[in-house]
Amino acid sequence: MQMCISPVYWLMMSELFPMQLRGVLTGGAVSLPWIFNAIVAFGFPPIMEYAGSTTFFIFAAINVGSLIFVMAMVPETRGKSLEEIESHMKEKFGEKSEVANAS
């Protein structure tokens, strides 16, 4: 995760959470990489024992899957303000009634 998706993850946290919940959600999201790193650290020896050198390809497939997810689901935020990003996320993923009422 550190090499493939980690930079995207840290940028997403600062841009995609709504302003009123940004602090709480960012705090929760910061703990997720640590949890997943612990899962990888504790899971790697048993997987290596079971799958041998194929373990590399298992983790490579997970990274490719995460890259596909980012390419398909994460919106482009270059040149947009935080308010524009928040409005786009509301339109795409929920709270459609508030966006429609604001227009």
Side-chain angles (χ1 to χ4, degrees):
M1 178 156 170
Q2 295 299 324
M3 295 302 293
C4 186
I5 195 172
S6 187
V8 174
Y9 180 80
W10 290 104
L11 285 172
M12 282 176 47
M13 283 193 308
S14 65
E15 293 181 345
L16 298 182
F17 293 137
M19 291 293 279
Q20 62 271 25
L21 297 173
R22 185 164 290 148
V24 173
L25 293 177
T26 300
V30 165
S31 65
L32 282 177
W34 291 102
I35 292 168
F36 288 121
N37 283 338
I39 290 169
V40 169
F42 290 120
F44 184 80
I47 295 172
M48 187 67 177
E49 187 175 313
Y50 174 76
S53 61
T54 309
T55 304
F56 168 77
F57 296 106
I58 294 169
F59 285 106
I62 292 170
N63 273 323
V64 169
S66 66
L67 181 63
I68 291 169
F69 171 80
V70 168
M71 290 171 52
M73 298 299 294
V74 177
E76 177 61 59
T77 59
R78 186 180 324 153
K80 295 182 181 177
S81 70
L82 292 176
E83 291 78 17
E84 290 172 324
I85 295 168
E86 184 174 347
S87 175
H88 172 75
M89 296 301 285
K90 283 181 181 178
E91 288 174 12
K92 187 170 183 176
F93 296 111
E95 297 187 38
K96 292 180 185 186
S97 60
E98 281 187 26
V99 174
N101 290 339
S103 298

